[in-house]
Amino acid sequence: MNKQEMRDQIFEVMLQTAVKENFEKELHELPTAKELKDDYELSEATRKEIEKLIKTVNHKSTRRRMQKAAKRAAVIAAIIIPVSMVSLLSVEASRNVIFNAVMNWASDHVNIQYQDGQSSSSVTSSPDDSEIKPRYLPEGFIETEVNQAGPNYAIKYQNAQGELILFRRNPLSEERSFAVDTEHTTYKEIEIQGEKASLFAANEPNGMSYLVWKSHTYSFQLNSEISPEQLIKMAESVKK
């Protein structure tokens, strides 16, 4: 190291020492917190500005904590909800509750639509499916008309007096809905072959009654002017 480099280093050290000593001197000369509190009164505007800054800092800190908590909750939900749904759907009883009738009520009718987790390709129709129909018929009624379009099936029954019974069967996988009169009927929840069913019983002697229920694969509907008790008996007899 030559003399010039040594002089430069000595000057740098002396300058740093002088700056440090001067800073400490100025720091000691500042009034204490007690003196500031006793001798200096903040204006109302300054006090409000300080309070505003404190609130802003606290708000940002709280918001950051909430964002972190929300992210943790979202991650937990993303894991738990799918697992819970898979576990729930694995139980047949729970599955039947989830995929059940959706009933949208209006002033004079209700629109019923069944929901099921199966895709349309999961419903396999066979020649025997056409035999899924009521095995009991009220006295005097005979099968007079059958309409089938793929897995959709409708049968009309009639007696000598011209009274009609209409039976419909549709796969749950197809999005299909139908309206039922509620202005002239009374709604009651019953069971058909262990499944929840909706009975809309006519309020008048010659009024139309409706019975709606489902199995694991199909939704069913019976409607007629005959007594609701007879419709229930027909529904209980539906099988291949």
Side-chain angles (χ1 to χ4, degrees):
M1 179 185 297
N2 56 39
K3 291 183 179 181
Q4 184 60 40
E5 290 176 345
M6 185 177 292
R7 283 197 294 268
D8 290 342
Q9 284 192 6
I10 293 172
F11 177 78
E12 185 70 25
V13 171
M14 290 176 67
L15 180 61
Q16 291 179 4
T17 302
V19 170
K20 181 179 180 182
E21 289 177 353
N22 185 66
F23 175 74
E24 290 177 351
K25 180 181 178 182
E26 291 183 357
L27 190 63
H28 286 303
E29 289 176 355
L30 289 174
T32 64
K34 184 176 184 304
E35 290 173 339
L36 287 172
K37 182 178 179 182
D38 294 340
D39 298 340
Y40 297 95
E41 185 67 29
L42 294 175
S43 66
E44 185 65 20
T46 304
R47 186 180 63 78
K48 289 183 177 180
E49 187 65 26
I50 292 173
E51 290 177 353
K52 182 180 177 182
L53 290 172
I54 292 173
K55 288 181 180 179
T56 301
V57 171
N58 290 338
H59 177 70
K60 288 181 179 179
S61 177
T62 302
R63 186 171 60 184
R64 283 195 294 269
R65 289 197 300 270
M66 290 178 66
Q67 287 175 345
K68 289 181 180 179
K71 288 179 181 178
R72 287 196 298 270
V75 171
I76 293 170
I79 296 171
I80 291 177
I81 291 176
V83 172
S84 300
M85 288 300 292
V86 170
S87 301
L88 191 60
L89 294 180
S90 65
V91 182
E92 187 63 29
S94 300
R95 183 176 179 277
N96 290 339
V97 171
I98 294 170
F99 301 123
N100 218 322
V102 176
M103 308 176 85
N104 298 315
W105 293 84
S107 59
D108 60 350
H109 73 280
V110 59
N111 195 58
I112 302 176
Q113 181 174 11
Y114 277 102
Q115 294 182 339
D116 192 86
Q118 305 176 54
S119 63
S120 57
S121 60
S122 66
V123 177
T124 56
S125 59
S126 68
D128 290 341
D129 283 351
S130 61
E131 296 302 313
I132 301 176
K133 59 184 181 181
R135 297 302 167 183
Y136 165 80
L137 292 178
E139 186 176 353
F141 280 89
I142 60 171
E143 184 179 303
T144 58
E145 186 179 337
V146 176
N147 293 299
Q148 184 169 9
N152 301 306
Y153 197 72
I155 306 176
K156 185 184 292 184
Y157 304 95
Q158 191 170 3
N159 63 10
Q161 288 74 40
E163 293 178 310
L164 295 174
I165 303 173
L166 184 60
F167 169 74
R168 293 189 180 94
R169 185 205 68 205
N170 303 107
L172 286 175
S173 58
E174 290 192 5
E175 294 197 6
R176 181 180 295 270
S177 62
F178 50 90
V180 174
D181 174 30
T182 56
E183 188 176 11
H184 304 98
T185 61
T186 300
Y187 171 72
K188 184 179 180 182
E189 186 176 297
I190 62 173
E191 275 195 8
I192 299 294
Q193 298 183 11
E195 293 280 354
K196 187 172 72 173
S198 299
L199 173 64
F200 297 85
N203 294 331
E204 301 173 357
N206 296 322
M208 186 73 68
S209 294
Y210 303 84
L211 180 57
V212 183
W213 77 103
K214 72 177 184 67
S215 66
H216 297 304
T217 309
Y218 294 103
S219 67
F220 303 99
Q221 181 185 354
L222 275 168
N223 57 279
S224 177
E225 294 180 357
I226 66 172
S227 69
E229 291 75 18
Q230 289 293 314
L231 291 182
I232 293 172
K233 198 169 181 179
M234 287 183 66
E236 289 286 3
S237 73
V238 170
K239 60 181 179 180
K240 285 188 179 182

